């Protein structure tokens, strides 16, 4: 039996990018392909930050970092990671919740979204 003292430190999720509570009760479950993210930028504290813009990878059906210059499906913004998730240590996939409807404060996003991405979700996400 292991009885030694262990200390675990958790980061604090910053959801200040949410512009309202609208849409937060109707998030979608998604699988995130972590290979589309960069550790130093997207999960430097050991968790993937909420507010990361996501696109759907056509070949796998998983979700990855939105990239307007891509040609794998992630060039179309479909939503934002709603809540931070622990970064993987031995796999490239993690489960998360995606916000697909509501208001987003563009100045508070951990990764900026260009005009093309904002147009992709026009009508479901309002940028303020």
């Amino acid at each position: 039996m292991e009885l030694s003292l262990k200390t675990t430190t958790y980061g604090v999720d910053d959801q200040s990018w949410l512009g309202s509570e609208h849409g937060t009760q109707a998030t979608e479950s998604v699988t995130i392909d972590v290979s589309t993210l960069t550790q130093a930028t997207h999960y430097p504290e050991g968790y993937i930050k909420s507010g990361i813009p996501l696109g759907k990878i056509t070949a796998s059906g998983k979700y990855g970092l939105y990239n307007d210059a891509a040609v794998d499906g992630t060039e179309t913004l479909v939503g934002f990671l709603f809540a931070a998730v622990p970064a993987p240590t031995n796999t490239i996939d993690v489960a998360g919740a995606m916000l697909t409807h509501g208001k987003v404060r563009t100045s508070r996003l951990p990764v900026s979204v260009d005009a093309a991405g904002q147009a992709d979700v026009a009508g479901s996400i309002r940028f303020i």
Side-chain angles (χ1 to χ4, degrees), residues 2 8 10 18 30 53 64 67 80-81 83 92 96 100 108 128:
E2 176 65 45
T8 304
Y10 297 97
L18 287 168
V30 295
N67 178 359
F80 294 87
L81 184 62
I92 60 168
T100 58
R108 301 283 185 135
I128 55 174

Side-chain angles (χ1 to χ4, degrees), residues 17 104-113 118 126-128:
W17 58 272
V104 170
R105 290 185 174 106
T106 54
S107 64
R108 301 283 185 135
L109 288 170
V111 177
S112 64
V113 175
Q118 291 184 25
R126 188 171 140 217
F127 294 88
I128 55 174

Side-chain angles (χ1 to χ4, degrees), residues 4-93:
S4 63
L5 181 62
K6 292 183 180 180
T7 301
T8 304
T9 303
Y10 297 97
V12 178
D13 189 18
D14 179 7
Q15 288 188 318
S16 64
W17 58 272
L18 287 168
S20 71
E21 188 179 315
H22 183 77
T24 62
Q25 299 298 316
T27 59
E28 295 181 23
S29 295
V30 295
T31 300
I32 301 167
D33 182 342
V34 179
S35 70
T36 66
L37 304 173
T38 304
Q39 181 178 1
T41 303
H42 306 115
Y43 55 100
E45 291 93 19
Y47 62 93
I48 302 169
K49 299 175 182 180
S50 68
I52 295 288
L54 300 172
K56 188 172 185 177
I57 302 167
T58 307
S60 66
K62 298 174 187 173
Y63 293 79
L65 180 67
Y66 162 74
N67 178 359
D68 188 47
V71 292
D72 63 354
T74 58
E75 69 273 12
T76 303
L77 179 66
V78 294
F80 294 87
L81 184 62
F82 173 66
V85 295
T89 56
N90 61 357
T91 180
I92 60 168
D93 298 332

